[in-house]
Every structure is written in C-alpha cells, then in structure tokens.
Amino acid sequence: MDFSLWPAASRSWQEVLEGTEYAERTGWHGVWVADHFMQNGDDLSVPVNECLALLAGLAARTSRVRVGSMVLGNTYRHPAVVANQAATLDQMSNGRFVLGIGAGWQVNEHEVYGIELPPVRERLARFEEACQVIKGLLTEERTSFDGRYYQLSGAPLEPKPSQLPILIGAAGEKVALGIVAKYADEWNHWGRPELAVQKGKAFQAHCEKIGRDPATVRRSTQAITEIVVPGDTEAAERKQRLEERGMHVVMGSAQEVLDTVAQYPAAGIDEFLVPDSFLGSGERRFDALERLREEVFAKL
C-alpha cells in the first residue's frame, strides 16, 4: 500500500510547498489538494487557496511525487474547462498528475458565491455527463456530445495527455459508485477499514452489472491520522470532538495506529492519504508526519 500526503489548502503557499517538498524528499507516494474556496463552517475568515493553482505550482516544483486534486467539484467548472486544465497540468508534471473529480457538495460555498447546487439526483446526472465529456476530450481527436446538461460540437483538446488517470471521489452506494464503475481509473472515499470493506462490496456489485473487474480500479482512502501519547487527555478529547463531527479518525499509540492501518490492504485499499489539517504547524506538523512514516508506514 502506498502512502500520500494531503496538505490543507488553508495553509499558506509556502507551507503547502514545504510539506510537498518534505513528501518528495522522504519517499511519500503522492500529494493531494482539496478543491474548496472556503471552510465548511461558520468561520469564513480562514484563508483557503485554490486547488488547481496550487497543483500547478507543485507540479512545477517537484519531479517524483504524483500530484492530484481531491476532488474537483463538478458544479464549479464546466467539464470542458476542467479537461483542458488537466491536460496542461499533465504536461507540467511530466505525467504525474491525477485528475480527481466529484459531483460537488459543500452547501455554504454555493450559497455565498451564487453557484447553483442542484438536488442530488440532478447533480449526479450532471456529473455522469461531465465524466463522459472529460473522457472524450482527453482521448478523442474531436468530441461531440449532446447531453441534457452539456453540449459539445467537434470540440478539440490539444495537446492530449499520454495517459491521465481519472479519480472519482464518491461514497453513495446506490448511484455514485455506479458512475465510478463506468468511468473511473481510481476511486477515493473517506473511512476506516471496516467502512472500506462495506463500500468495496457495494462497488463490486456495480462492477458485476457492467462486466468490469473491480481490481482494475485503484482504490484510495483517508482518515484523520495521528500518533498520540497514551493517556493524553487533550488528544482523547480532540479525537472525541472529531468523531462527534462525523470525521473518520485513526488516532492512538503507534501500535494502535499501525494495527488499524495494517487492515486497509485486505479491505482493498491501494493508497492511504494523511490529511495534515489537524497536525499543527511548523515543526509539530513534520514531527507528527515523521512519526507516522517511521513508526507505521515503514513497517508496512
């Protein structure tokens, strides 16, 4: 299983770059950036940097790690624009870019920016059309598409990437995982190992319907992950608060974290992402990441 870093887009460009350079230097597999314009909460003063601009900078400043979007909300950009941006990022990264896309979900962003957030059924239908548009533009000489939501007429996209993986971020078992089965090269969802098992079973059922081998889709997941000192009451309270907010958390002693993370490969996971949002700043962040790398990941 590979291990990748997810630096928070709320960090400054310099902090994101330092985290990425650390990941490149110490053997992490990839670096992922979320696509949001603001925090999902009441505090709108927290700065958030734009995903694709960050990724362009990271692609130009690295040479080894994969870089990817986790994930671009379909409601924010026309899929033809996304395909063109992705093809350029593929060039800038020398083929290391992964295009992560999703249907979109964060309500407050859409409200304050005046961006339409359709009901879930329509949102998923739009997203499925967007997947077809993006795939067509990235692979066909000219793309024509006459959908309900998107229309293209002999649209070009040059230069084309040689092989640009499309990752879909999705967890909905009835419809969304069916879209993953049809169009994704990679699939991401949040969760601990037991949830990964559940989602994998639902995904396998969708693959069986269309005759696709689920093993052909690379799977990744993430959880708030941190090694803490046993008996640390502050850490225990932090974990409880995160879980009460519905977050997926892997937190405990080095052995406890190792025991949990070690279950992911059997649950079908190929890549585990570590968000650094809750690991603090400066040396505290890097100390926490180094402990994970040395005491957990190196042993797997």
Side-chain angles (χ1 to χ4, degrees):
M1 186 167 64
D2 295 315
F3 299 95
S4 294
L5 180 63
W6 183 344
S10 58
R11 297 187 183 277
S12 69
W13 157 246
Q14 191 60 40
E15 287 178 308
V16 172
L17 178 60
E18 288 171 354
T20 301
E21 290 175 336
Y22 157 79
E24 169 122 325
R25 186 174 63 251
T26 56
W28 295 64
H29 182 69
V31 174
W32 299 87
V33 177
D35 181 35
H36 291 292
F37 310 121
M38 56 188 283
Q39 295 290 308
N40 184 31
D42 296 328
D43 185 2
L44 306 187
S45 65
V46 178
V48 177
N49 291 297
E50 198 276 329
C51 174
L52 290 170
L54 283 177
L55 287 170
L58 297 179
R61 296 290 292 268
T62 55
S63 60
R64 186 190 61 79
V65 290
R66 294 204 311 168
V67 293
S69 49
M70 189 57 69
V71 290
L72 300 180
N74 184 56
T75 52
Y76 302 141
R77 306 168 189 84
H78 192 286
V81 174
V82 170
N84 278 273
Q85 291 169 312
T88 300
L89 276 163
D90 177 76
Q91 288 185 73
M92 296 176 70
S93 66
N94 290 317
R96 291 177 291 118
F97 177 62
V98 181
L99 174 58
I101 53 178
W105 63 274
Q106 190 166 310
V107 175
N108 64 351
E109 287 180 312
H110 294 79
E111 289 179 343
V112 302
Y113 288 115
I115 300 171
E116 182 185 4
L117 183 65
V120 173
R121 180 176 294 182
E122 179 184 336
R123 204 183 315 161
L124 289 169
R126 284 178 178 268
F127 179 58
E128 182 159 11
E129 286 195 9
C131 291
Q132 296 174 66
V133 168
I134 292 169
K135 281 250 181 186
L137 286 167
L138 292 176
T139 59
E140 299 169 3
E141 183 177 353
R142 293 287 186 272
T143 301
S144 295
F145 185 81
D146 186 19
R148 181 174 181 181
Y149 304 105
Y150 304 109
Q151 295 82 38
L152 282 72
S153 178
L157 189 155
E158 294 295 343
K160 292 211 181 333
S162 57
Q163 187 176 7
L164 198 166
I166 294 178
L167 175 148
I168 293 179
E173 297 180 9
K174 292 183 178 180
V175 178
L177 294 191
I179 298 174
V180 175
K182 289 180 184 176
Y183 304 106
D185 302 300
E186 305 188 18
W187 165 38
N188 175 270
H189 64 82
W190 283 80
R192 289 171 56 90
E194 56 271 21
L195 183 60
V197 171
Q198 174 189 321
K199 296 297 178 185
K201 291 178 180 177
F203 178 62
Q204 182 173 354
H206 282 287
C207 287
E208 288 174 354
K209 290 179 184 177
I210 62 171
R212 183 174 188 182
D213 179 359
T216 61
V217 180
R218 177 179 172 87
R219 291 183 61 185
S220 62
T221 193
Q222 58 277 337
I224 308 292
T225 309
E226 185 179 2
I227 296 172
V228 298
V229 177
D232 184 338
T233 56
E234 181 182 338
E237 291 172 358
R238 184 166 71 253
K239 178 181 179 183
Q240 183 177 349
R241 288 194 300 270
L242 290 168
E243 290 175 337
E244 288 173 350
R245 290 168 52 189
M247 304 295 288
H248 303 271
V249 182
V250 177
M251 187 182 294
S253 68
Q255 188 61 51
E256 288 171 331
V257 172
L258 175 61
D259 289 345
T260 299
V261 175
Q263 298 173 43
Y264 279 109
I269 299 301
D270 302 295
E271 182 177 356
F272 184 73
L273 283 58
V274 178
D276 74 0
S277 307
F278 300 93
L279 296 181
S281 299
E283 288 305 311
R284 185 189 186 283
R285 173 173 60 141
F286 291 110
D287 287 346
L289 291 171
E290 270 298 278
R291 287 202 67 189
L292 285 170
R293 188 177 72 86
E294 293 178 350
E295 299 180 40
V296 177
F297 304 154
K299 296 181 179 181
L300 294 172

